[in-house]
Amino acid sequence: MGMYERVSRRGTLAPAPQELLPLDRILQQDCVEAMAGLPDASVDLIFADPPYNLQLGGELFRPDGSHVDAVNDAWDHFDSFAAYDRFTSAWLAEARRILKPDGAIWVIGSYHNIFRVGAALQDEGFWILNDIVWRKSNPMPNFKGTRFTNAHETLIWASRSQGSRPTFNYQSMKALNDDLQMRSDWVLPICAGGERLKDGKAKAHPTQKPEELLYRVLLATTKPGDIVLDPFFGTGTTGAVARRLGRRWIGIEREPRYVKVAEARIAATLPLDESAMVAMPSRAAQPRVPFGALVESGLLTPGAKLTDARRRWKASVRADSSIACDAHAGSIHKVGAALQGAPSCNGWTFWHVEDAGALIPLDGLRQRYLAQAAA
């Protein structure tokens, strides 16, 4: 048994105590070697930006003759697709081992590698939940004019297994998107301007990701205090955003020059105030409130009138919290469904009540009841 591991009362491997993990640190090692030293089921989320294996086949120049600072570092070079596949399988196997049972992984890549990585994810037992298209609002043009401008990258979000129940903060994503359901195509700018880290006059890292992208990923799929691992840490975007959002992080990076930049960057990042990190709760996470609680508490009185948003029907509230409309009587859900000739109805959003001269859904009264109960 490894130094991080412990056995639960049932005799099965239990997650390692947090104090034994290298939290909020950068491990300057090869990613497979570093992950092999971490315990089973110890990480909530992995964000991975692995080498793209770009196969550029030469230098890139702009039409004016200036050189394009592209990815030509040794860490992105592999002898063959087979060698890249072996590397991918090795780090994904370790990633899956160290994820908690309900953990998840994000992998980002370009057309050079993301399809190979996606197949390897499935081969290792991960369960793909979504692919996200990051559409760059300011992409680099195709200077040779021989192909379409490459204006997007792909992210794959996968759970550890088909039976996992990974975190997904649906309501937070909806709030972030002007109260509309968040789609799988994200329009965000590439890292540029003051956010782009420099090492002298050159880019500190050729594929630095924008903090806005990581902010959305971590806000969507982690909770405050969760442990986020980045096995290809680079200049520390994941660590900086994790610190800002109150998540714990572990970075793995083998290149000393990137480690130095990342450490300085994260040290300068200020965490958000704790109250600012309270996310919108999911409906499933909220306490169950029966309609009768609104009547019992006095937020609705027997005899109160309910109507749908278009004022087609009016129902009366009874003392036992049933409602009646025309020939129909019963729960807010049953009566709403009957009136519409529908198989079901969410009475909390269908029925409305007059409040200060405006119609509000019953769900608004339910939220008011929850707020009073918490006060």
Side-chain angles (χ1 to χ4, degrees):
M1 187 178 299
M3 64 174 289
Y4 296 112
E5 299 169 359
R6 61 189 175 93
V7 177
S8 71
R9 292 178 182 176
R10 296 182 180 179
T12 57
L13 195 64
Q18 283 198 14
E19 61 268 21
L20 296 181
L21 295 171
L23 296 179
D24 307 326
R25 286 174 47 199
I26 305 174
L27 306 178
Q28 190 177 320
Q29 291 176 269
D30 169 81
C31 69
V32 177
E33 174 188 342
M35 283 192 286
L38 297 176
D40 293 356
S42 56
V43 171
D44 296 289
L45 188 81
I46 294 174
F47 181 86
D49 184 7
Y52 286 8
N53 193 24
L54 288 179
Q55 317 116 44
L56 289 177
E59 298 284 326
L60 290 179
F61 295 91
R62 297 181 179 86
D64 63 2
S66 60
H67 182 260
V68 177
D69 188 10
V71 183
N72 51 15
D73 299 87
W75 51 259
D76 194 60
H77 294 174
F78 292 83
D79 293 336
S80 63
F81 287 130
Y84 186 80
D85 292 345
R86 287 193 296 271
F87 166 73
T88 300
S89 295
W91 75 260
L92 282 177
E94 289 296 337
R96 188 167 186 271
R97 179 186 62 79
I98 64 176
L99 275 175
K100 295 177 182 178
D102 289 331
I105 186 171
W106 287 82
V107 185
I108 186 170
S110 70
Y111 67 89
H112 300 90
N113 71 325
I114 197 62
F115 303 108
R116 308 187 80 86
V117 173
L121 278 164
Q122 292 178 316
D123 289 344
E124 290 297 331
F126 289 94
W127 186 256
I128 294 179
L129 301 166
N130 271 119
D131 65 325
I132 303 293
V133 175
W134 166 31
R135 187 156 63 87
K136 303 172 183 178
S137 57
N138 54 340
M140 182 183 295
N142 184 271
F143 294 111
K144 291 184 178 180
T146 56
R147 303 183 186 182
F148 298 107
T149 297
N150 185 27
H152 77 278
E153 292 185 36
T154 301
L155 297 92
I156 297 175
W157 176 38
S159 58
R160 187 186 183 279
S161 67
Q162 184 176 359
S164 299
R165 300 180 64 185
T167 295
F168 179 51
N169 298 317
Y170 170 80
Q171 295 295 337
S172 292
M173 290 298 95
K174 192 174 179 181
L176 195 65
N177 196 40
D178 289 335
D179 212 30
L180 296 174
Q181 189 175 65
M182 182 73 75
R183 293 166 32 136
S184 62
D185 54 335
W186 299 353
V187 181
L188 301 169
I190 63 173
C191 189
E195 187 184 346
R196 169 64 75 173
L197 300 175
K198 297 291 183 67
D199 186 3
K201 292 184 178 180
K203 297 175 183 176
H205 195 289
T207 62
Q208 181 184 336
K209 297 301 181 289
E211 290 194 7
E212 190 173 357
L213 180 68
L214 269 296
Y215 186 96
R216 187 172 296 187
V217 166
L218 297 191
L219 191 67
T221 55
T222 63
K223 303 181 293 292
D226 278 357
I227 300 171
V228 181
L229 171 80
D230 186 334
F232 307 96
F233 203 57
T235 53
T237 303
T238 301
V241 175
R243 184 167 194 243
R244 184 178 166 200
L245 289 176
R247 277 65 169 165
R248 310 302 299 271
W249 58 271
I250 301 170
I252 302 172
E253 177 53 56
R254 72 181 191 183
E255 302 293 328
R257 65 186 188 277
Y258 297 154
V259 171
K260 182 179 179 181
V261 172
E263 287 177 338
R265 175 189 191 180
I266 295 169
T269 300
L270 296 176
L272 292 177
D273 183 85
E274 195 169 318
S275 62
M277 291 186 293
V278 178
M280 288 283 289
S282 68
R283 297 295 185 197
Q286 295 188 43
R288 184 179 179 275
V289 178
F291 177 65
L294 303 187
V295 178
E296 291 172 334
S297 66
L299 285 173
L300 276 177
T301 58
K305 301 298 182 183
L306 308 180
T307 182
D308 63 292
R310 292 159 59 186
R311 300 181 185 274
R312 293 167 294 175
W313 298 289
K314 287 187 177 180
S316 297
V317 177
R318 294 171 165 177
D320 63 356
S321 78
S322 64
I323 66 172
C325 180
D326 299 335
H328 304 286
S331 71
I332 55 174
H333 313 294
K334 179 181 176 181
V335 173
L339 291 171
Q340 298 175 89
S344 62
C345 171
N346 183 350
W348 290 106
T349 56
F350 177 76
W351 292 110
H352 292 61
V353 64
E354 290 277 357
D355 183 73
L359 274 185
I360 65 168
L362 286 180
D363 190 51
L365 288 187
R366 177 166 60 172
Q367 299 306 317
R368 192 177 300 173
Y369 174 87
L370 289 170
Q372 290 178 354

